[in-house]
Amino acid sequence: EGLIRPPGAPAGAVPGEKASQGAQKLMIPDELFPKLFRSSPIGLSISRLRDGKCLDCNESLARLLEWPREELIGRGLLELGLPEEIKKCFEGDGKGVEDGSQGEKPTVQFERKIYTRGRRIRHIQVHLDLIEWAGEECVLSLVQDITETEQAKEKIKRLNDELERMV
């Protein structure tokens, strides 16, 4: 089943994460978190910050990257085609950090093109949060494929340019 929750994590708590005031009011039951993680249509992973190794991920991320889920676990994020910013965003001057957290750990969001295992180009939107999980600093990654949206934007721009040339 994977490493959804470290041993000894309190019932209803996201692994290792300190609950905010809002989260304290809406606790996720132990049996529900793994189901949400696994069934999400958005690619999800939990990776160690120090080495980028994937500790767990869902099938949506595996499909997006064109890797079997079992082969993703234990691999470094950079091996998988995910941007190097994943680690860099949480180091140094915090460039790229959108910090509306009021003293909490930063949240990072960005869009990039990546290559899948099958060498297909995908446009992705990435949302990263630092979490403490099983006593280690980890990154919770939410990865959404926005390829079709980006292609539609490019087509609209091309059609608008053609229309302007006609006028």
Side-chain angles (χ1 to χ4, degrees):
E1 212 26 53
L3 294 172
I4 291 297
R5 184 177 305 284
V14 175
E17 200 171 32
K18 294 179 182 170
S20 66
Q21 287 180 342
Q24 288 174 352
K25 294 177 186 173
L26 179 65
M27 297 301 272
I28 300 172
D30 270 349
E31 66 278 359
L32 186 56
F33 181 77
K35 188 173 186 170
L36 291 171
F37 187 89
R38 297 272 180 254
S39 64
S40 173
I42 295 174
L44 300 171
S45 74
I46 300 172
S47 305
R48 280 193 306 247
L49 181 62
R50 68 179 159 85
D51 61 8
K53 297 289 182 202
C54 179
L55 301 176
D56 202 358
C57 68
N58 66 3
E59 287 294 333
S60 296
L61 183 64
R63 276 191 303 277
L64 172 63
L65 298 175
E66 298 178 353
W67 280 83
R69 180 179 166 272
E70 299 75 30
E71 290 184 38
L72 288 174
I73 296 172
R75 289 190 177 269
L77 295 175
L78 298 180
E79 291 177 62
L80 305 173
L82 293 179
E84 194 170 338
E85 296 98 310
I86 287 176
K87 185 169 181 182
K88 287 183 177 179
C89 285
F90 296 108
E91 298 175 340
D93 64 2
K95 186 176 181 182
V97 172
E98 292 182 11
D99 192 0
S101 59
Q102 300 173 350
E104 296 174 15
K105 294 177 180 174
T107 295
V108 178
Q109 297 178 38
F110 56 89
E111 294 179 6
R112 293 290 181 272
K113 290 182 185 178
I114 62 165
Y115 285 99
T116 66
R117 187 178 193 184
R119 304 301 296 160
R120 291 180 205 13
I121 296 175
R122 293 280 184 240
H123 295 256
I124 59 170
Q125 184 176 58
V126 181
H127 176 100
L128 307 171
D129 281 302
L130 268 182
I131 62 170
E132 187 178 308
W133 196 70
E136 291 192 74
E137 275 198 313
C138 292
V139 177
L140 173 64
S141 304
L142 290 79
V143 182
Q144 187 168 8
D145 186 355
I146 58 170
T147 304
E148 289 180 7
T149 302
E150 292 301 309
Q151 289 170 344
K153 286 180 187 177
E154 289 172 19
K155 185 174 184 176
I156 290 169
K157 184 182 181 323
R158 198 171 49 251
L159 290 171
N160 280 336
D161 290 346
E162 285 178 26
L163 186 58
E164 283 185 23
R165 280 192 300 271
M166 290 179 188
V167 176

